Amino acid sequence: MSVSDLDPVPAVALLARPGAARERLREALAHADVQIVLEDDPMTLEPVALRDARPQFVVIALEAAIEDALERLEPALSAPGLTLVFDEAELAARRDGWEAQRWGRHLAAKLHGHQQVLPPGAEDEPALQLEPGLPSTPPVPKETALQPHLEQARSWADDVPADGLYSPPTHLHEPIALEQALAALQPVLPERAAPVQAAPEPPPVPAAAPSVFNDHTAWSLVDEASDAPAVASAATSTESAEPAFDTGHLSLVDLDATAPAGSRSGALLVLAGIGGPDALRRLLAALPSGLAVPVLVHMRLDGGRYGNLVKQMARVSPLPVQLAEAGQRATAGEVHVLADDIGVHAAADGLYFQSEAQGISIAALSAEHSALVLLSGADLAHVGPALDLAAAGAWVAGQVGEGCYDPAAATAVVAAGMVAGEPQELAQVIAARWGLDDDGDAA
């Protein structure tokens, strides 16, 4: 068995229109130690020719002019075991120097299935791991310094003079039980004299009758025979005074209107960058056809052609994909692609898109009902807000594996204890947590 059998050279097909972008991609593939089995213009290429070349990878320079051609080549591009690598044609044409070399190393790592993306000579550089500092020795307790003062105070305690100006009365004492304490607070009532037979007095005028309802100690039983008419009349007046319960104006409460705003402002936010189209394609393709939350996608493109990204992802995503616009509401079960100047704000009935110069703000999401996925090329500035959202209860994950060209941000959240996995694996976890069954109920 030869060395080439142990480590076969990947077969790659390059699809790009003639021009600077195609030349830059050809140079990157030449330095990546791969076999270019096909190099052609997608505008004229036939699906049969691409299938007969039997490539393992297809590198595509994306631009608006080849959108219809990619739809025509879709049967060949969807072949099992075929990996697609997308790159913006405008970016590839401008890429030069250090940036071109860096992108070429990431491309080679993708095609050969390893994680070595450092320049030659930097393989053995130790990774810097920040650790919280601790004092070398714990502080010495200072109880020993107070001990002499405590002993001196204890020795002087018996010599402290007592207060002789006040002596409590002998008939008062501190109660030893709760019942005695309550009894001590009750007012002392005079004893009642024995009843004396006398002529009946006329009934008192109700207006002049003293109010004793607050003094329960003066309550007593009444003579049923003498007070029966009064009781009957009082009962009659009470019954007539009771208001009738009106059921004619009852109505059901709108449960959605009274639900907490956080439950309606949740979302799945996906952040990506270099190498993001391929990772995003794999993530969206593995999602179910129904989700209980909207999917927000933010992938920074230098060309700003987010409409092309929407069309590419709509071909593989089972969820509807559309471009987010200011004033529009984020809809559950749909994918919204965010431009660089589109942010979100939470309202009583859900999330709404708004014009925001700084773009999407992670802090605007409801932590309890949101998820955050950092794919290849995600901005390192999003790591801190992502971990803050996770500390508040959000589900946060980072991409790992051979398809991660720029793993800095994703690796940072994984190192902090967040979920790690390939895009397809992360999609399975998302489907289990936020997926909908056939009846539209949450999984």
Side-chain angles (χ1 to χ4, degrees), residues 6-316:
L6 294 175
D7 187 14
V9 177
V12 181
L14 174 59
L15 302 185
R17 293 204 304 166
R22 184 167 169 176
E23 295 177 1
R24 295 288 188 276
L25 291 175
R26 187 192 308 115
E27 294 174 0
L29 293 175
H31 290 87
D33 191 18
V34 299
Q35 179 185 3
I36 302 179
V37 296
L38 177 65
E39 178 181 342
D40 206 342
D41 185 352
M43 303 289 292
T44 59
L45 178 65
E46 295 297 330
V48 177
L50 178 60
R51 198 162 32 241
D52 293 342
R54 299 181 181 275
Q56 299 171 274
F57 299 87
V58 178
V59 179
I60 303 175
L62 284 177
E63 52 183 323
I66 68 170
E67 291 181 2
D68 296 336
L70 292 180
E71 292 183 0
R72 181 171 50 83
L73 297 173
E74 181 67 23
L77 295 176
S78 302
L82 186 62
T83 302
L84 304 182
V85 180
F86 296 95
D87 190 17
E88 288 284 340
E90 183 178 354
L91 297 181
R94 298 200 311 259
R95 196 178 292 126
D96 195 6
W98 178 88
E99 184 180 2
Q101 296 176 10
R102 178 176 179 271
W103 191 89
R105 292 194 300 269
H106 283 279
L107 179 60
K110 169 70 175 180
L111 300 178
H112 288 277
H114 59 73
Q115 299 293 328
Q116 179 54 264
V117 295
L118 297 177
E123 293 83 355
D124 298 332
E125 292 184 358
L128 297 179
Q129 183 68 28
L130 299 180
E131 297 181 356
L134 294 176
S136 57
T137 56
V140 180
K142 299 182 179 180
E143 288 79 358
T144 55
L146 297 177
Q147 191 61 33
H149 302 282
L150 296 176
E151 295 178 355
Q152 185 179 23
R154 191 179 299 109
S155 63
W156 289 354
D158 297 335
D159 298 335
V160 177
D163 190 358
L165 300 179
Y166 172 78
S167 59
T170 57
H171 65 281
L172 296 180
H173 61 279
E174 183 180 358
I176 60 175
L178 178 61
E179 292 79 3
Q180 296 178 357
L182 295 177
L185 298 177
Q186 296 295 332
V188 181
L189 299 178
E191 297 182 359
R192 294 190 175 185
V196 180
Q197 296 294 335
E201 298 180 357
V205 181
S211 177
V212 294
F213 292 99
N214 293 331
D215 186 7
H216 63 274
T217 59
W219 293 357
S220 62
L221 297 177
V222 297
D223 188 358
E224 295 181 359
S226 60
D227 295 343
V231 174
S233 61
T236 303
S237 62
T238 303
E239 293 177 358
S240 61
E242 291 181 353
F245 187 74
D246 185 9
T247 60
H249 296 82
L250 296 179
S251 62
L252 296 177
V253 177
D254 187 1
L255 296 180
D256 184 68
T258 58
S263 62
R264 296 187 298 276
S265 60
L268 166 61
L269 176 59
V270 182
L271 302 174
I274 298 178
D278 180 50
L280 181 61
R281 172 180 173 272
R282 293 157 60 192
L283 176 72
L284 295 182
L287 289 178
S289 58
L291 283 180
V293 293
V295 180
L296 312 181
V297 175
H298 177 63
M299 184 172 64
R300 192 173 297 276
L301 299 177
D302 292 343
R305 296 179 178 177
Y306 292 97
N308 295 343
L309 180 63
V310 170
K311 294 179 181 180
Q312 294 297 329
M313 296 305 145
R315 296 190 180 100
V316 298

Side-chain angles (χ1 to χ4, degrees), residues 1-9:
M1 181 178 295
S2 63
V3 178
S4 60
D5 295 332
L6 294 175
D7 187 14
V9 177

